[in-house]
Amino acid sequence: MGLTTARLLQEAGWDVTIYSRSPWRDSVSNVAGGQWAPTSVFDEDVASPGFVRQYKEASRIAHDVYQNLVGADYGVSFIENYYLSDELIEGGVYLREMPELFASVADLGPGEHPFSTRYAKQTVTMIIEPAKFLRRVRNDFLIAGGSFVPRYFENLSAVLSLKEAVIFNCTGLGAKALFDDDDLEPVKGQLVLLPPDPAVDYLTVGGGSDVTYMFSRKGEILLGGAFQRGDWSQEPELEVTQRIVADNRQLFENFG
């Protein structure tokens, strides 16, 4: 979030400095899945109409920006995506409210797809290769005159002591302590990486647990996932790894 925010500010004519304790390659963004889909960002039952309007506007801006970066340089490409379930799939709020951002949407029933689930919702969206994308955005940031300053902020007073007149908070979970945000909680994910396979040129979401997914990328096939609320640990768990592999194996057991 820090790098992409910085680049948008630079394009708007701002001089930008990024303060960070760690380089981009040590961030969780560097190992993220990378599918473009504005999902899991709010609760539909409590969101105000104003928030939903802002969410739609932000989603359209983001889609436009990433679409302009499609190609090998930034590691952004369009790819088929299949949402899998044994129940009819309604689709997330972004598919319902912003269908113009997703191409080739189709509902596939039994016998119309090769997966082990009864139903599949097909669409086309973008995937971002995080390592390539972040490296290129970092380079763009430096070329445009941006600077990095290694710094760890212990409290809000340290943040407000900065010389800059405008500060963008991209601290993620760090905001819990910095801004006394008692509502902010971590959600731990876990991934399994397999060697790449050029024949696998699509993504899957669902079909095992609610957070099972398979993302085929240039450098690897990435299997997920986990969604463990309130878990601050950063160590992988063997039982979660085994469950991720088993869920994905089940989805593809009918392939011949």
PDB file of all heavy atoms in Angstrom, residues 186-216:
ATOM      1  N   PRO A 186      -5.540  -8.954  13.379  1.00  0.00           N
ATOM      2  CA  PRO A 186      -4.843  -9.641  12.292  1.00  0.00           C
ATOM      3  C   PRO A 186      -5.678 -10.800  11.762  1.00  0.00           C
ATOM      4  O   PRO A 186      -6.526 -11.351  12.467  1.00  0.00           O
ATOM      5  CB  PRO A 186      -3.570 -10.164  12.973  1.00  0.00           C
ATOM      6  CG  PRO A 186      -4.009 -10.413  14.387  1.00  0.00           C
ATOM      7  CD  PRO A 186      -4.995  -9.304  14.694  1.00  0.00           C
ATOM      8  N   VAL A 187      -5.457 -11.138  10.505  1.00  0.00           N
ATOM      9  CA  VAL A 187      -6.007 -12.357   9.914  1.00  0.00           C
ATOM     10  C   VAL A 187      -4.834 -13.080   9.262  1.00  0.00           C
ATOM     11  O   VAL A 187      -4.270 -12.609   8.280  1.00  0.00           O
ATOM     12  CB  VAL A 187      -7.104 -12.052   8.875  1.00  0.00           C
ATOM     13  CG1 VAL A 187      -7.591 -13.355   8.254  1.00  0.00           C
ATOM     14  CG2 VAL A 187      -8.260 -11.306   9.513  1.00  0.00           C
ATOM     15  N   LYS A 188      -4.470 -14.207   9.828  1.00  0.00           N
ATOM     16  CA  LYS A 188      -3.297 -14.938   9.340  1.00  0.00           C
ATOM     17  C   LYS A 188      -3.660 -15.796   8.144  1.00  0.00           C
ATOM     18  O   LYS A 188      -4.642 -16.525   8.144  1.00  0.00           O
ATOM     19  CB  LYS A 188      -2.743 -15.828  10.463  1.00  0.00           C
ATOM     20  CG  LYS A 188      -1.512 -16.644  10.035  1.00  0.00           C
ATOM     21  CD  LYS A 188      -1.032 -17.534  11.174  1.00  0.00           C
ATOM     22  CE  LYS A 188       0.135 -18.401  10.744  1.00  0.00           C
ATOM     23  NZ  LYS A 188       0.605 -19.261  11.858  1.00  0.00           N
ATOM     24  N   GLY A 189      -2.848 -15.702   7.105  1.00  0.00           N
ATOM     25  CA  GLY A 189      -2.983 -16.568   5.948  1.00  0.00           C
ATOM     26  C   GLY A 189      -1.791 -17.488   5.840  1.00  0.00           C
ATOM     27  O   GLY A 189      -0.764 -17.275   6.485  1.00  0.00           O
ATOM     28  N   GLN A 190      -1.931 -18.525   5.048  1.00  0.00           N
ATOM     29  CA  GLN A 190      -0.820 -19.453   4.824  1.00  0.00           C
ATOM     30  C   GLN A 190      -0.889 -19.964   3.393  1.00  0.00           C
ATOM     31  O   GLN A 190      -1.975 -20.189   2.852  1.00  0.00           O
ATOM     32  CB  GLN A 190      -0.888 -20.624   5.811  1.00  0.00           C
ATOM     33  CG  GLN A 190       0.360 -21.512   5.783  1.00  0.00           C
ATOM     34  CD  GLN A 190       0.450 -22.401   7.005  1.00  0.00           C
ATOM     35  OE1 GLN A 190       0.288 -21.943   8.142  1.00  0.00           O
ATOM     36  NE2 GLN A 190       0.713 -23.676   6.794  1.00  0.00           N
ATOM     37  N   LEU A 191       0.268 -20.114   2.777  1.00  0.00           N
ATOM     38  CA  LEU A 191       0.351 -20.491   1.368  1.00  0.00           C
ATOM     39  C   LEU A 191       1.238 -21.702   1.182  1.00  0.00           C
ATOM     40  O   LEU A 191       2.128 -21.979   1.994  1.00  0.00           O
ATOM     41  CB  LEU A 191       0.902 -19.325   0.539  1.00  0.00           C
ATOM     42  CG  LEU A 191       0.180 -17.980   0.678  1.00  0.00           C
ATOM     43  CD1 LEU A 191       0.973 -16.897  -0.039  1.00  0.00           C
ATOM     44  CD2 LEU A 191      -1.226 -18.083   0.134  1.00  0.00           C
ATOM     45  N   VAL A 192       0.996 -22.406   0.082  1.00  0.00           N
ATOM     46  CA  VAL A 192       1.866 -23.509  -0.341  1.00  0.00           C
ATOM     47  C   VAL A 192       2.297 -23.208  -1.766  1.00  0.00           C
ATOM     48  O   VAL A 192       1.459 -22.917  -2.627  1.00  0.00           O
ATOM     49  CB  VAL A 192       1.131 -24.866  -0.287  1.00  0.00           C
ATOM     50  CG1 VAL A 192       2.046 -25.977  -0.791  1.00  0.00           C
ATOM     51  CG2 VAL A 192       0.658 -25.173   1.132  1.00  0.00           C
ATOM     52  N   LEU A 193       3.596 -23.263  -2.042  1.00  0.00           N
ATOM     53  CA  LEU A 193       4.126 -22.952  -3.366  1.00  0.00           C
ATOM     54  C   LEU A 193       4.573 -24.226  -4.074  1.00  0.00           C
ATOM     55  O   LEU A 193       5.290 -25.043  -3.501  1.00  0.00           O
ATOM     56  CB  LEU A 193       5.308 -21.987  -3.261  1.00  0.00           C
ATOM     57  CG  LEU A 193       5.025 -20.640  -2.578  1.00  0.00           C
ATOM     58  CD1 LEU A 193       6.278 -19.784  -2.559  1.00  0.00           C
ATOM     59  CD2 LEU A 193       3.892 -19.913  -3.259  1.00  0.00           C
ATOM     60  N   LEU A 194       4.121 -24.380  -5.328  1.00  0.00           N
ATOM     61  CA  LEU A 194       4.506 -25.513  -6.169  1.00  0.00           C
ATOM     62  C   LEU A 194       5.241 -24.987  -7.401  1.00  0.00           C
ATOM     63  O   LEU A 194       5.103 -23.812  -7.757  1.00  0.00           O
ATOM     64  CB  LEU A 194       3.254 -26.283  -6.614  1.00  0.00           C
ATOM     65  CG  LEU A 194       2.336 -26.825  -5.512  1.00  0.00           C
ATOM     66  CD1 LEU A 194       1.137 -27.515  -6.149  1.00  0.00           C
ATOM     67  CD2 LEU A 194       3.087 -27.773  -4.591  1.00  0.00           C
ATOM     68  N   PRO A 195       6.011 -25.839  -8.090  1.00  0.00           N
ATOM     69  CA  PRO A 195       6.680 -25.393  -9.314  1.00  0.00           C
ATOM     70  C   PRO A 195       5.658 -24.924 -10.351  1.00  0.00           C
ATOM     71  O   PRO A 195       4.518 -25.403 -10.379  1.00  0.00           O
ATOM     72  CB  PRO A 195       7.416 -26.647  -9.796  1.00  0.00           C
ATOM     73  CG  PRO A 195       7.581 -27.483  -8.573  1.00  0.00           C
ATOM     74  CD  PRO A 195       6.369 -27.228  -7.732  1.00  0.00           C
ATOM     75  N   PRO A 196       6.029 -23.983 -11.215  1.00  0.00           N
ATOM     76  CA  PRO A 196       5.089 -23.477 -12.214  1.00  0.00           C
ATOM     77  C   PRO A 196       4.749 -24.528 -13.261  1.00  0.00           C
ATOM     78  O   PRO A 196       5.523 -25.457 -13.509  1.00  0.00           O
ATOM     79  CB  PRO A 196       5.848 -22.304 -12.849  1.00  0.00           C
ATOM     80  CG  PRO A 196       7.294 -22.661 -12.659  1.00  0.00           C
ATOM     81  CD  PRO A 196       7.362 -23.364 -11.336  1.00  0.00           C
ATOM     82  N   ASP A 197       3.583 -24.392 -13.876  1.00  0.00           N
ATOM     83  CA  ASP A 197       3.145 -25.287 -14.948  1.00  0.00           C
ATOM     84  C   ASP A 197       2.459 -24.425 -16.005  1.00  0.00           C
ATOM     85  O   ASP A 197       1.346 -23.933 -15.776  1.00  0.00           O
ATOM     86  CB  ASP A 197       2.174 -26.341 -14.406  1.00  0.00           C
ATOM     87  CG  ASP A 197       1.798 -27.377 -15.461  1.00  0.00           C
ATOM     88  OD1 ASP A 197       2.042 -27.126 -16.661  1.00  0.00           O
ATOM     89  OD2 ASP A 197       1.254 -28.429 -15.077  1.00  0.00           O
ATOM     90  N   PRO A 198       3.091 -24.202 -17.170  1.00  0.00           N
ATOM     91  CA  PRO A 198       2.496 -23.344 -18.206  1.00  0.00           C
ATOM     92  C   PRO A 198       1.130 -23.830 -18.678  1.00  0.00           C
ATOM     93  O   PRO A 198       0.341 -23.041 -19.202  1.00  0.00           O
ATOM     94  CB  PRO A 198       3.524 -23.414 -19.350  1.00  0.00           C
ATOM     95  CG  PRO A 198       4.810 -23.812 -18.689  1.00  0.00           C
ATOM     96  CD  PRO A 198       4.420 -24.701 -17.555  1.00  0.00           C
ATOM     97  N   ALA A 199       0.821 -25.123 -18.489  1.00  0.00           N
ATOM     98  CA  ALA A 199      -0.471 -25.656 -18.925  1.00  0.00           C
ATOM     99  C   ALA A 199      -1.613 -25.207 -18.008  1.00  0.00           C
ATOM    100  O   ALA A 199      -2.778 -25.275 -18.393  1.00  0.00           O
ATOM    101  CB  ALA A 199      -0.425 -27.173 -18.988  1.00  0.00           C
ATOM    102  N   VAL A 200      -1.284 -24.764 -16.811  1.00  0.00           N
ATOM    103  CA  VAL A 200      -2.307 -24.289 -15.868  1.00  0.00           C
ATOM    104  C   VAL A 200      -2.380 -22.776 -16.006  1.00  0.00           C
ATOM    105  O   VAL A 200      -1.541 -22.047 -15.464  1.00  0.00           O
ATOM    106  CB  VAL A 200      -1.964 -24.700 -14.424  1.00  0.00           C
ATOM    107  CG1 VAL A 200      -3.074 -24.246 -13.475  1.00  0.00           C
ATOM    108  CG2 VAL A 200      -1.746 -26.190 -14.318  1.00  0.00           C
ATOM    109  N   ASP A 201      -3.363 -22.305 -16.753  1.00  0.00           N
ATOM    110  CA  ASP A 201      -3.446 -20.877 -17.081  1.00  0.00           C
ATOM    111  C   ASP A 201      -4.760 -20.272 -16.593  1.00  0.00           C
ATOM    112  O   ASP A 201      -5.421 -19.519 -17.301  1.00  0.00           O
ATOM    113  CB  ASP A 201      -3.287 -20.666 -18.584  1.00  0.00           C
ATOM    114  CG  ASP A 201      -4.307 -21.453 -19.394  1.00  0.00           C
ATOM    115  OD1 ASP A 201      -5.084 -22.232 -18.784  1.00  0.00           O
ATOM    116  OD2 ASP A 201      -4.331 -21.300 -20.622  1.00  0.00           O
ATOM    117  N   TYR A 202      -5.142 -20.580 -15.345  1.00  0.00           N
ATOM    118  CA  TYR A 202      -6.375 -20.074 -14.763  1.00  0.00           C
ATOM    119  C   TYR A 202      -6.236 -20.073 -13.243  1.00  0.00           C
ATOM    120  O   TYR A 202      -5.266 -20.619 -12.695  1.00  0.00           O
ATOM    121  CB  TYR A 202      -7.569 -20.939 -15.186  1.00  0.00           C
ATOM    122  CG  TYR A 202      -7.382 -22.409 -14.881  1.00  0.00           C
ATOM    123  CD1 TYR A 202      -7.767 -22.935 -13.650  1.00  0.00           C
ATOM    124  CD2 TYR A 202      -6.792 -23.270 -15.814  1.00  0.00           C
ATOM    125  CE1 TYR A 202      -7.576 -24.276 -13.359  1.00  0.00           C
ATOM    126  CE2 TYR A 202      -6.602 -24.611 -15.527  1.00  0.00           C
ATOM    127  CZ  TYR A 202      -6.997 -25.104 -14.303  1.00  0.00           C
ATOM    128  OH  TYR A 202      -6.797 -26.438 -14.016  1.00  0.00           O
ATOM    129  N   LEU A 203      -7.227 -19.485 -12.578  1.00  0.00           N
ATOM    130  CA  LEU A 203      -7.275 -19.438 -11.122  1.00  0.00           C
ATOM    131  C   LEU A 203      -8.532 -20.147 -10.637  1.00  0.00           C
ATOM    132  O   LEU A 203      -9.525 -20.217 -11.349  1.00  0.00           O
ATOM    133  CB  LEU A 203      -7.321 -17.990 -10.610  1.00  0.00           C
ATOM    134  CG  LEU A 203      -6.401 -16.953 -11.236  1.00  0.00           C
ATOM    135  CD1 LEU A 203      -6.663 -15.587 -10.607  1.00  0.00           C
ATOM    136  CD2 LEU A 203      -4.953 -17.347 -11.095  1.00  0.00           C
ATOM    137  N   THR A 204      -8.488 -20.675  -9.423  1.00  0.00           N
ATOM    138  CA  THR A 204      -9.698 -21.200  -8.789  1.00  0.00           C
ATOM    139  C   THR A 204      -9.820 -20.619  -7.384  1.00  0.00           C
ATOM    140  O   THR A 204      -8.816 -20.367  -6.710  1.00  0.00           O
ATOM    141  CB  THR A 204      -9.698 -22.740  -8.693  1.00  0.00           C
ATOM    142  OG1 THR A 204      -8.637 -23.161  -7.819  1.00  0.00           O
ATOM    143  CG2 THR A 204      -9.516 -23.369 -10.068  1.00  0.00           C
ATOM    144  N   VAL A 205     -11.061 -20.409  -6.971  1.00  0.00           N
ATOM    145  CA  VAL A 205     -11.351 -19.924  -5.615  1.00  0.00           C
ATOM    146  C   VAL A 205     -12.496 -20.750  -5.070  1.00  0.00           C
ATOM    147  O   VAL A 205     -13.537 -20.908  -5.724  1.00  0.00           O
ATOM    148  CB  VAL A 205     -11.741 -18.435  -5.615  1.00  0.00           C
ATOM    149  CG1 VAL A 205     -12.089 -17.981  -4.200  1.00  0.00           C
ATOM    150  CG2 VAL A 205     -10.615 -17.576  -6.178  1.00  0.00           C
ATOM    151  N   GLY A 206     -12.334 -21.305  -3.860  1.00  0.00           N
ATOM    152  CA  GLY A 206     -13.391 -22.087  -3.236  1.00  0.00           C
ATOM    153  C   GLY A 206     -13.301 -23.552  -3.617  1.00  0.00           C
ATOM    154  O   GLY A 206     -12.339 -24.015  -4.229  1.00  0.00           O
ATOM    155  N   GLY A 207     -14.327 -24.275  -3.228  1.00  0.00           N
ATOM    156  CA  GLY A 207     -14.379 -25.700  -3.554  1.00  0.00           C
ATOM    157  C   GLY A 207     -13.909 -26.610  -2.456  1.00  0.00           C
ATOM    158  O   GLY A 207     -14.303 -27.771  -2.391  1.00  0.00           O
ATOM    159  N   GLY A 208     -13.071 -26.115  -1.561  1.00  0.00           N
ATOM    160  CA  GLY A 208     -12.654 -26.887  -0.395  1.00  0.00           C
ATOM    161  C   GLY A 208     -13.235 -26.182   0.822  1.00  0.00           C
ATOM    162  O   GLY A 208     -14.438 -26.159   1.022  1.00  0.00           O
ATOM    163  N   SER A 209     -12.366 -25.563   1.619  1.00  0.00           N
ATOM    164  CA  SER A 209     -12.858 -24.670   2.655  1.00  0.00           C
ATOM    165  C   SER A 209     -13.224 -23.350   1.982  1.00  0.00           C
ATOM    166  O   SER A 209     -13.020 -23.167   0.783  1.00  0.00           O
ATOM    167  CB  SER A 209     -11.771 -24.447   3.716  1.00  0.00           C
ATOM    168  OG  SER A 209     -10.707 -23.695   3.161  1.00  0.00           O
ATOM    169  N   ASP A 210     -13.756 -22.424   2.751  1.00  0.00           N
ATOM    170  CA  ASP A 210     -14.189 -21.159   2.172  1.00  0.00           C
ATOM    171  C   ASP A 210     -13.051 -20.352   1.574  1.00  0.00           C
ATOM    172  O   ASP A 210     -13.278 -19.480   0.734  1.00  0.00           O
ATOM    173  CB  ASP A 210     -14.895 -20.308   3.239  1.00  0.00           C
ATOM    174  CG  ASP A 210     -16.233 -20.895   3.634  1.00  0.00           C
ATOM    175  OD1 ASP A 210     -16.782 -21.699   2.853  1.00  0.00           O
ATOM    176  OD2 ASP A 210     -16.720 -20.565   4.729  1.00  0.00           O
ATOM    177  N   VAL A 211     -11.823 -20.618   1.999  1.00  0.00           N
ATOM    178  CA  VAL A 211     -10.698 -19.796   1.548  1.00  0.00           C
ATOM    179  C   VAL A 211      -9.707 -20.580   0.693  1.00  0.00           C
ATOM    180  O   VAL A 211      -8.581 -20.145   0.476  1.00  0.00           O
ATOM    181  CB  VAL A 211      -9.960 -19.164   2.748  1.00  0.00           C
ATOM    182  CG1 VAL A 211     -10.845 -18.136   3.424  1.00  0.00           C
ATOM    183  CG2 VAL A 211      -9.520 -20.223   3.754  1.00  0.00           C
ATOM    184  N   THR A 212     -10.108 -21.731   0.183  1.00  0.00           N
ATOM    185  CA  THR A 212      -9.240 -22.504  -0.713  1.00  0.00           C
ATOM    186  C   THR A 212      -9.074 -21.761  -2.034  1.00  0.00           C
ATOM    187  O   THR A 212     -10.038 -21.239  -2.588  1.00  0.00           O
ATOM    188  CB  THR A 212      -9.845 -23.886  -0.984  1.00  0.00           C
ATOM    189  OG1 THR A 212      -9.921 -24.611   0.248  1.00  0.00           O
ATOM    190  CG2 THR A 212      -8.990 -24.675  -1.967  1.00  0.00           C
ATOM    191  N   TYR A 213      -7.846 -21.705  -2.538  1.00  0.00           N
ATOM    192  CA  TYR A 213      -7.650 -21.132  -3.866  1.00  0.00           C
ATOM    193  C   TYR A 213      -6.362 -21.655  -4.485  1.00  0.00           C
ATOM    194  O   TYR A 213      -5.454 -22.135  -3.798  1.00  0.00           O
ATOM    195  CB  TYR A 213      -7.668 -19.607  -3.854  1.00  0.00           C
ATOM    196  CG  TYR A 213      -6.654 -18.931  -2.964  1.00  0.00           C
ATOM    197  CD1 TYR A 213      -5.363 -18.640  -3.417  1.00  0.00           C
ATOM    198  CD2 TYR A 213      -6.991 -18.533  -1.668  1.00  0.00           C
ATOM    199  CE1 TYR A 213      -4.446 -17.988  -2.605  1.00  0.00           C
ATOM    200  CE2 TYR A 213      -6.087 -17.889  -0.851  1.00  0.00           C
ATOM    201  CZ  TYR A 213      -4.807 -17.600  -1.325  1.00  0.00           C
ATOM    202  OH  TYR A 213      -3.916 -16.965  -0.505  1.00  0.00           O
ATOM    203  N   MET A 214      -6.319 -21.568  -5.827  1.00  0.00           N
ATOM    204  CA  MET A 214      -5.141 -21.931  -6.604  1.00  0.00           C
ATOM    205  C   MET A 214      -4.887 -20.815  -7.607  1.00  0.00           C
ATOM    206  O   MET A 214      -5.725 -20.511  -8.434  1.00  0.00           O
ATOM    207  CB  MET A 214      -5.360 -23.267  -7.334  1.00  0.00           C
ATOM    208  CG  MET A 214      -4.151 -23.763  -8.121  1.00  0.00           C
ATOM    209  SD  MET A 214      -3.885 -22.973  -9.731  1.00  0.00           S
ATOM    210  CE  MET A 214      -5.371 -23.454 -10.609  1.00  0.00           C
ATOM    211  N   PHE A 215      -3.725 -20.166  -7.499  1.00  0.00           N
ATOM    212  CA  PHE A 215      -3.342 -19.106  -8.421  1.00  0.00           C
ATOM    213  C   PHE A 215      -2.133 -19.576  -9.221  1.00  0.00           C
ATOM    214  O   PHE A 215      -1.078 -19.860  -8.644  1.00  0.00           O
ATOM    215  CB  PHE A 215      -2.983 -17.824  -7.679  1.00  0.00           C
ATOM    216  CG  PHE A 215      -4.153 -17.133  -7.038  1.00  0.00           C
ATOM    217  CD1 PHE A 215      -3.965 -15.985  -6.282  1.00  0.00           C
ATOM    218  CD2 PHE A 215      -5.442 -17.604  -7.177  1.00  0.00           C
ATOM    219  CE1 PHE A 215      -5.031 -15.323  -5.693  1.00  0.00           C
ATOM    220  CE2 PHE A 215      -6.522 -16.966  -6.589  1.00  0.00           C
ATOM    221  CZ  PHE A 215      -6.313 -15.820  -5.838  1.00  0.00           C
ATOM    222  N   SER A 216      -2.285 -19.629 -10.520  1.00  0.00           N
ATOM    223  CA  SER A 216      -1.166 -20.002 -11.385  1.00  0.00           C
ATOM    224  C   SER A 216      -0.423 -18.738 -11.790  1.00  0.00           C
ATOM    225  O   SER A 216      -0.992 -17.851 -12.442  1.00  0.00           O
ATOM    226  CB  SER A 216      -1.680 -20.739 -12.619  1.00  0.00           C
ATOM    227  OG  SER A 216      -0.615 -21.043 -13.487  1.00  0.00           O
TER     228      SER A 216
END
